Amino acid sequence: MVSKPHGGKLIRRIKRDFEKEDIQTLEVSLEQALDIENICRGVFSPLEGFLDRNNYLSVLENKRLSNDIPWTIPIILDVSNQSIDGLKEGDDVLLKYYDRNIALMNIEEIYQWDKKQYARYIYGTTDPEHPGVSKIYKMNDYLVAGKLELLNSVPTRFERYTLWPIETRILFRERGWRTIVGFQTRNAPHRGHEYVQKAALTFVDGLFVNPLVGWKKKGDYKDDVILAAYETLIKHYYPRDVVVLAVLRTSMRYAGPREAVHHAIMRKNFGCTHFIIGRDHAGVGNYYGPYDAWKIFQEFPDLGITPLFIREAFYCKKCDGMVNEKICPHNEEYRIHISGTNIRRMLLNGERPPEYMMRREVAETILSFENPFM
Amino acid sequence: MNGEYTTVSIPKPLYERIKNIIKDTGFTSVSSFVIYVLREVVASYEQEKIEVFSEEEKKAIIEKLRKLGYI
C-alpha cells in the first residue's frame, strides 16, 4: 500500500472554468509559480495555500503546522508593498506568471515577516554567505496568505518527466509496488548514489528517483544533464520496471535537517513509503553536522514515511567494491571516498572519472554536454 | 516547547512509571514523552483514511502514463 498523503488528504485544487472578470492581478516569479502548482497538485499536501501568520510562526517555532501536522519549511508568498496596493484581506486576486494566468487566490492575510528570525529558525544561521539566507534577505517585506486554485500549469521543458502525486500513486499501484523508496537528488549519479539506491531497493518494491529541478547554486549540474545521466544509468545498470524517474520542480533551500524532513514529506505525498536520507542531506558548506539530517527525524514519530539512513559509500580496494563503514573492516589506506566535488572538477576539465567513481556510460553522457554545470 | 498547551490528566502511578523509564533517554520530561507517544498513535489512526479517485480519472491518468512510457 502506497503511503497515505501527508495530513490524510491529497490536495487537488484545480479550477477548470475561469472567465476573466474584473479582477486584480499579482505578478509572481517562476519559483512562486512552481510553489503554487505544487500546492494545488498536492505535492505540499495538506497545504491548500500560502501560510498565514499563525501557521508560519508555528512552522518556525514548532516545526509543525498549527494543527500539529509536521511541517518544517514555510511555504510563503512574498510581495512588495507596491504590488499589494489596493489589495485587502477577503479579495480574490489573479496570480500571473508573465502572460499566463496561474491561479486564483483568496487573500486571507497580508503580514510582515522578520527575515532574520526566519533565517535563524530555518537555516540555523543568519550568515548572509549561506545561499539560502542570502536569498531570503533579498525577498520582499510582505507575505500574502490565502487558499489557491490552479488555472494553468507552469510551462516546463520537462513534460516527459513531469508526474504529480495522483499520477505516481496510480503508477505505483499499476506496477504492483507496495513499498517505494524515494531518492532526492540534485546531482548526476556516481557510484556512491548507485550503491545507496540499490541497497535500499533490495528491501522495497520500487525506487522513485526524483531529481529536483529549479533554482540551484552555481556549479551544480544542469537539470538536463542530471536527467540524461540517470537515463543512462537506469538503462545500463538497473533491472527493468523497478525504477521511476520523474522531476520535482521546486527550489533547493539548502536548509539541511529541516529540508530533509520537507523532502521526505513531499515524497510521502507522491506515495513513497520510505525515503533515503544521505550524509549532510540538503546541506551546504559547514553549516550543518554531517548527520544532523538524521537526528531531526527523531522529533517526528508521526511523519508517516520511514527514513532510511544509509551510510556514505566508498570504494574499498581490499573488498574490491562499493561498501560502507558498517560492512568494511579495512582501514583508510584501502578506502577511496567518492567526492562529488572532485568528480565535478574532473568533468569540468573534460576528464572521465575512474570507473569506481562514476560509470563510464554516465560520465560519457555528461561529457557529451558542452557545459554540464550551472 | 513552544505553542499552545492544555492539560490532560493521567494516573499518578503511570506518571511515576514514565518518569522512571525516561531517565537517561533524550526525553526531558514526562510531558515530552507523552506528546511523542501520542503523536505516533494518533498518526496511525489518521492514516486509515481511504483515498478516492474516480474510475474515469484513473483511466485518463493511466493513458497519460502509457503515453509517457511509464507503463
Side-chain angles (χ1 to χ4, degrees):
Chain A
M1 182 70 82
V2 300
S3 232
K4 294 286 174 276
H6 196 54
K9 185 183 168 197
L10 188 67
I11 299 300
R12 282 181 290 156
R13 297 182 63 85
I14 297 156
K15 193 174 173 67
R16 305 205 184 276
D17 48 341
F18 169 69
E19 284 175 28
K20 206 170 178 182
E21 303 154 26
D22 185 19
I23 187 168
Q24 291 203 65
T25 61
L26 201 57
E27 299 289 329
V28 296
S29 66
L30 174 61
E31 204 171 315
Q32 291 169 332
L34 293 177
D35 276 350
I36 291 166
E37 189 163 11
N38 283 332
I39 290 170
C40 295
R41 293 193 186 274
V43 178
F44 294 156
S45 295
L47 302 192
E48 295 182 284
F50 290 105
L51 295 187
D52 61 20
R53 190 202 307 257
N54 191 25
N55 274 296
Y56 167 77
L57 289 173
S58 180
V59 170
L60 252 55
E61 293 168 3
N62 308 318
K63 305 186 187 98
R64 290 173 180 271
L65 298 169
S66 58
N67 63 2
D68 204 51
I69 301 289
W71 199 271
T72 50
I73 300 282
I75 304 298
I76 48 177
L77 178 65
D78 69 302
V79 291
S80 67
N81 198 10
Q82 302 93 293
S83 66
I84 50 169
D85 192 27
L87 287 176
K88 59 183 187 310
E89 287 157 22
D91 286 352
D92 284 325
V93 61
L94 178 63
L95 304 179
K96 295 190 78 150
Y97 173 59
Y98 288 98
D99 289 338
R100 203 175 181 93
N101 296 339
I102 294 294
L104 283 176
M105 179 166 70
N106 180 257
I107 298 178
E108 287 167 16
E109 196 177 7
I110 300 172
Y111 58 104
Q112 283 185 287
W113 60 313
D114 179 342
K115 295 175 196 173
K116 272 204 167 156
Q117 180 194 38
Y118 181 106
R120 209 166 33 245
Y121 274 114
I122 303 301
Y123 295 107
T125 175
T126 53
D127 181 0
E129 293 296 311
H130 183 296
V133 174
S134 129
K135 200 167 161 211
I136 289 295
Y137 288 170
K138 288 176 196 149
M139 286 169 69
N140 291 300
D141 294 334
Y142 286 84
L143 300 180
V144 183
K147 286 186 181 159
L148 296 159
E149 286 178 297
L150 187 74
L151 298 173
N152 289 294
S153 288
V154 184
T156 176
R157 289 189 297 119
F158 303 106
E159 198 75 55
R160 156 75 186 81
Y161 293 100
T162 300
L163 293 180
W164 298 105
I166 183 75
E167 295 164 344
T168 51
R169 288 170 168 275
I170 289 174
L171 172 59
F172 296 158
R173 282 185 190 137
E174 285 296 304
R175 288 196 173 188
W177 294 356
R178 295 177 65 83
T179 49
I180 303 102
V181 63
F183 185 78
Q184 144 77 33
T185 187
R186 54 186 158 109
N187 282 306
H190 58 53
R191 296 293 293 271
H193 298 130
E194 183 184 336
Y195 169 86
V196 164
Q197 291 168 8
K198 287 183 172 172
L201 195 45
T202 308
F203 300 100
V204 297
D205 298 329
L207 168 68
F208 181 49
V209 178
N210 199 205
L212 206 138
V213 174
W215 178 80
K216 282 181 241 172
K217 61 183 170 51
K218 197 170 182 299
D220 282 351
Y221 286 98
K222 284 183 178 165
D223 298 327
D224 306 83
V225 176
I226 297 170
L227 286 168
Y230 263 105
E231 283 287 10
T232 302
L233 181 70
I234 292 166
K235 181 179 162 197
H236 291 280
Y237 294 99
Y238 284 73
R240 285 186 64 194
D241 298 333
V242 299
V243 191
V244 166
L245 172 64
V247 297
L248 173 58
R249 298 178 74 203
T250 193
S251 300
M252 268 307 292
R253 269 106 173 157
Y254 302 99
R258 275 190 182 245
E259 192 168 9
V261 176
H262 182 63
H263 284 167
I265 291 171
M266 289 190 284
R267 277 40 179 247
K268 177 186 172 189
N269 284 328
F270 279 101
C272 294
T273 52
H274 297 73
F275 184 63
I276 295 169
I277 310 293
R279 185 184 176 278
D280 197 21
H281 189 110
V284 63
N286 294 316
Y287 291 99
Y288 311 107
Y291 297 104
D292 285 358
W294 293 14
K295 288 181 206 150
I296 193 173
F297 281 85
Q298 292 170 1
E299 297 176 40
F300 301 101
D302 49 345
L303 199 59
I305 180 167
T306 306
L308 296 181
F309 305 123
I310 303 183
R311 287 157 201 265
E312 192 182 17
F314 51 83
Y315 181 80
C316 172
K317 289 186 251 179
K318 196 107 172 172
C319 294
D320 192 20
M322 293 300 294
V323 287
N324 65 50
E325 62 185 2
K326 199 173 177 191
I327 56 174
C328 170
H330 307 115
N331 57 31
E332 273 301 317
E333 73 176 287
Y334 298 105
R335 296 177 177 183
I336 301 173
H337 293 272
I338 315 283
S339 154
T341 310
N342 285 346
I343 291 177
R344 277 196 293 271
R345 193 176 304 126
M346 285 182 219
L347 292 166
L348 206 54
N349 293 332
E351 297 165 28
R352 185 160 59 76
E355 186 88 14
Y356 59 79
M357 286 189 182
M358 182 173 260
R359 296 284 188 187
R360 177 179 54 78
E361 297 89 340
V362 172
E364 283 169 358
T365 299
I366 297 169
L367 288 169
S368 72
F369 285 81
E370 198 176 336
N371 181 6
F373 301 103
M374 302 284 292
Chain B
M1 293 189 291
N2 297 313
E4 281 186 63
Y5 285 80
T6 189
T7 310
V8 174
S9 301
I10 59 169
K12 203 147 188 214
L14 175 60
Y15 178 89
E16 293 301 332
R17 282 168 73 192
I18 296 171
K19 214 167 134 185
N20 279 329
I21 64 168
I22 64 169
K23 276 181 195 161
D24 304 320
T25 69
F27 293 104
T28 52
S29 66
V30 170
S31 292
S32 63
F33 177 85
V34 170
I35 290 168
Y36 184 91
V37 170
L38 285 180
R39 277 178 171 152
E40 192 167 23
V41 173
V42 167
S44 71
Y45 277 93
E46 285 176 339
Q47 284 174 19
E48 284 169 19
K49 287 177 190 168
I50 308 284
E51 187 191 326
V52 182
F53 36 78
S54 70
E55 269 309 301
E56 199 182 325
E57 197 172 7
K58 188 177 164 186
K59 269 186 196 164
I61 290 171
I62 289 175
E63 189 49 38
K64 175 186 168 180
L65 293 170
R66 214 165 257 137
K67 276 186 187 160
L68 291 176
Y70 283 104
I71 296 179

